[in-house]
């Protein structure tokens, strides 16, 4: 018995849009212990990216009830207009890298550059991870 075998054509795949890589100018913010809180202001339409390079950093956003505690390797982003207040948490120094950019749909956020002498940061689980949706103009993501 002869049977014809017709191969099934592969399913068409939709072309994927590559993420738009952003070129960000990161600023390194040293946060000595017991120093006054530092203020970072961002305009409407800006995205503020924060990434802790070293230590533990306290972040609060004017108008939000939540405070955020980030460990080395963790990041957080906010949509402007926003005023952030940051400081080292505890008795140890911390270092915060931050960048701002205009909102770009489909943007891929590169990691902040770390100093050559610092070991690669490993993200730690967060007990204080922000949530999306209920925050007015505040935190939009955490990793």
């Amino acid at each position: 018995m002869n049977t014809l075998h017709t191969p099934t054509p592969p399913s068409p795949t939709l072309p994927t849009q590559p993420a738009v890589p952003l070129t960000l100018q990161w600023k390194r913010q040293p946060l000595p212990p017991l120093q006054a809180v530092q203020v970072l202001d961002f305009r409407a339409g800006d995205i503020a990216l924060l990434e802790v390079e070293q230590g533990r950093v306290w972040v609060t956003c004017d108008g939000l009830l939540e405070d955020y505690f980030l460990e080395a390797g963790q990041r957080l982003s906010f949509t402007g207009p926003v005023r952030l207040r940051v400081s080292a948490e505890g008795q140890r120094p911390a270092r915060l890298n931050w960048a701002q950019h205009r909102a770009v749909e489909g943007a891929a956020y590169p990691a902040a550059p770390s100093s050559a002498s610092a070991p690669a940061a490993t993200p730690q689980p967060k007990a204080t991870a922000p949530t999306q949706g209920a925050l007015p103009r505040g935190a939009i993501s955490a990793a």
Side-chain angles (χ1 to χ4, degrees):
M1 174 176 195
N2 290 340
T3 60
L4 291 175
H5 176 71
T6 306
T8 305
S11 299
T13 57
L14 296 174
T16 57
Q17 289 281 17
V20 178
L22 293 174
T23 302
L24 299 175
Q25 295 201 1
W26 289 92
K27 296 170 182 67
R28 184 171 277 153
Q29 185 88 25
L31 299 170
L34 308 176
Q35 182 186 31
V37 170
Q38 297 183 35
V39 176
L40 302 173
D41 283 310
F42 299 93
R43 298 181 311 245
D46 281 351
I47 302 292
L49 298 172
L50 308 177
E51 185 172 310
V52 177
E53 182 179 330
Q54 169 192 333
R56 181 174 164 94
V57 174
W58 168 78
V59 179
T60 194
C61 175
D62 286 7
L64 298 181
L65 297 176
E66 294 86 356
D67 286 348
Y68 306 100
F69 295 90
L70 303 174
E71 303 287 340
Q74 293 181 316
R75 62 172 27 187
L76 189 61
S77 60
F78 292 84
T79 303
V82 67
R83 172 170 283 172
L84 304 176
R85 298 175 193 273
V86 299
S87 68
E89 173 68 14
Q91 301 295 317
R92 296 187 170 193
R95 190 164 35 247
L96 178 70
N97 293 316
W98 64 271
Q100 80 182 57
H101 69 88
R102 298 302 287 173
V104 177
E105 188 163 335
Y109 301 132
S114 60
S115 66
S117 62
T122 304
Q124 301 294 318
K126 297 176 288 303
T128 57
T131 58
Q132 293 186 9
L135 304 179
R137 70 170 207 284
I140 58 171
S141 66

